[in-house]
Amino acid sequence: MSNELVSSVAFSRENLTCFFCYDDCTIYAASNHRFLVAVFSSTLGSKRDGRHLANFRTSFTGRQSEDYHFCKVEDTVGACMRNTECHEQQGLFAGHCGKSKEVCCVVLKTCGEQTDSHHSYFRNPSFPKNDTEARVCSLTVDVGKGICGVRLTLEKFELARFYGGTCLHDGLTVLGVKGPPVSAFCGNMTNWRTTFEVEEKSQLVLAALVQGDPAYTFNIRVTQLPCVDIQTFQSPTYAGVWNPSAPKYVRPTTEPDAETTTFPTTDETPVLEESDEERSSEDADGETQLEEAVAEGGEGGGEDGERGDTGGDEDAEDGPTTLRRGLIPTPSRAEVSIKSQVDEDEGIYLEVANPIPLVSAVREEFDTIDPNYCQRGSFRIIGGDMTKLNEYPWQVAIINGKIFTCGGSLISDRHILTAAHCVFGGYNKGFENLTISLGDHDLTTKNDTESIALKVKYIDWNLHYNAHKIYNDIAILELEEPVTFRDGISAIKLPTDLDDQFEGQNATLTGWGRHKLKSYQTSPVLKEYMAPLVDIDKCIEAWEAHPSLTPRLSNVCLNVTWGAPCHGDSGSPLVTCSGLQCTQIGVMSFGSPLCEDEGLPEVFSRVTSFKSWIDMVLTPLHYV
């Protein structure tokens, strides 16, 4: 037993009672013959022996809203309300909210209870211990007047794991949410958050169906967001500045005498390593089809557009990487040295995870048509070109351990925009090993750029994300510490005109997507693919043969006649540029798993459709 003294209080009907105990202590506050249990960790009183919680100075921020204020004691968040209201909520007194007459009230709720507090905790009955009893555990939340959103912060959340897009055993569902029904979530989702729109003066139900095997535990902060407090997110100053004058990249070799193979790369030629010299006839057929497609593509065709042609305009590679409106892609040429063998000691991210199992709809849809569909043809980024070093400084790589999983974009000094399917259901053991690499170019080389790697503090996913239909495929990752913008690392600009559909424009996708035949290895270096956008109605029509994957008006689509993104490009940004100013209009979501032109445009989550959601997610709560 530690000698460190911890203090706490409980508010009861008669008086304010102070308790002292050593180590973790459980405090019972009696009210109306019911008991509330609050567990205060020994860290609450670390280095401050003998103090009373009643004397704590809470951090308090006055809100624009007159009725909804928040307070904080150490790591515990409370709601500011009158003493009588705290008593009605059966809450715990935790000090005063500044010089106001309101008290900081910590409202703790468990199965079968109800609250109208604008901030509360929903816990399993034995929290912080696990429970093994099978039950339906629900909390009813009365949404207040002037409330537009609710944020759920899963401070602790461990239910039975997520399998193939479904919560088979345990699951928590939010009922009464504005918009379409939502799917249950489960697994280890500690430090995940979701923010969603609600109707004022409505009612939400957080319903957890748990089997008890394995044991479960959860502690969820439920925060109501007043409409007047939700801020419109503004992109940082100088966001989205494209760097066309960036230097070209020549991949280094381990030793000066090491063998290298130089390939001229064009929009229709993928970057290959020496291990691909002996390609199958199946791959050769794919190349022939690609050459024929390019030959029919206007400016990209003809003798100047054929693969292997070393002639042409030498300045083409120095031109804009995003096309002017109304033009189709023209192959550009650049020589790049590819190391014949990767040195594992030198490499940083040597493998790629297959994101397709997280998108069950893609696998199920195309496996039903042809079980070998995903094994035919070429599994690489077809088309595209090598980018220059830090040409697109907002591009980030999402790394799990030493495995590259998805792309993303830096939208502020601490937030990454990516696809929900890149993270949802993929971290059943927690995301402690999740790392964001910023400013990188060659994922297998340490010193190609001055890149940095940061850990993730929270994952914000869209509650309306549907893993079976791939709807609302968008998520935001909050970094543990902010980034200092510099050459090679800066944010992308988000659209300000929410009515702009960007139809008829050309767009650029960047990423490290998969590029080798029958292999999960991605392109070691960052590539870009340029193409015109497809009218959304035509995109929906093109996907009619695959009803499980029907695009919606909340999507934007990209032409794949001259090339296609592939596995590993998920979550990466789709941008349009005017001069040196680029704006992100899409987040890579899904496409044909063949990664070729099958008449199916690539589908992205349309950023303008989710701008209000982004605003709510990025609205700070001023708890610190």
Side-chain angles (χ1 to χ4, degrees), residues 230-235 411 417 462 474 476 493-498 584 606-619:
I230 296 176
Q231 302 176 9
T232 300
F233 172 71
Q234 300 290 338
S235 297
I411 61 172
L417 187 63
N462 191 300
I474 194 167
I476 293 176
K493 181 182 178 182
L494 298 188
T496 54
D497 183 359
L498 303 187
Q584 181 172 354
R606 186 186 294 271
V607 174
T608 53
S609 297
F610 296 96
K611 184 58 169 57
S612 61
W613 175 79
I614 294 173
D615 292 341
M616 280 198 301
V617 170
L618 300 187
T619 293

Side-chain angles (χ1 to χ4, degrees), residues 35-114:
F35 288 89
L36 289 177
V37 181
V39 178
F40 293 86
S41 171
S42 60
T43 58
L44 191 66
S46 61
K47 300 181 182 180
R48 298 180 184 179
D49 295 345
R51 66 181 181 179
H52 292 242
L53 183 60
N55 295 327
F56 282 2
R57 180 174 298 175
T58 65
S59 62
F60 163 77
T61 301
R63 314 280 285 177
Q64 295 178 29
S65 170
E66 295 181 358
D67 300 323
Y68 305 109
H69 299 165
F70 302 95
C71 53
K72 187 173 183 181
V73 181
E74 300 295 337
D75 294 328
T76 302
V77 178
C80 292
M81 59 182 69
R82 292 191 176 276
N83 211 345
T84 53
E85 294 175 325
C86 185
H87 173 63
E88 291 173 356
Q89 292 289 334
Q90 300 176 342
L92 298 177
F93 174 88
H96 292 275
C97 291
K99 296 181 180 180
S100 70
K101 296 182 180 179
E102 295 181 329
V103 299
C104 184
C105 186
V106 179
V107 179
L108 307 175
K109 297 295 182 180
T110 188
C111 305
E113 297 189 337
Q114 185 170 354

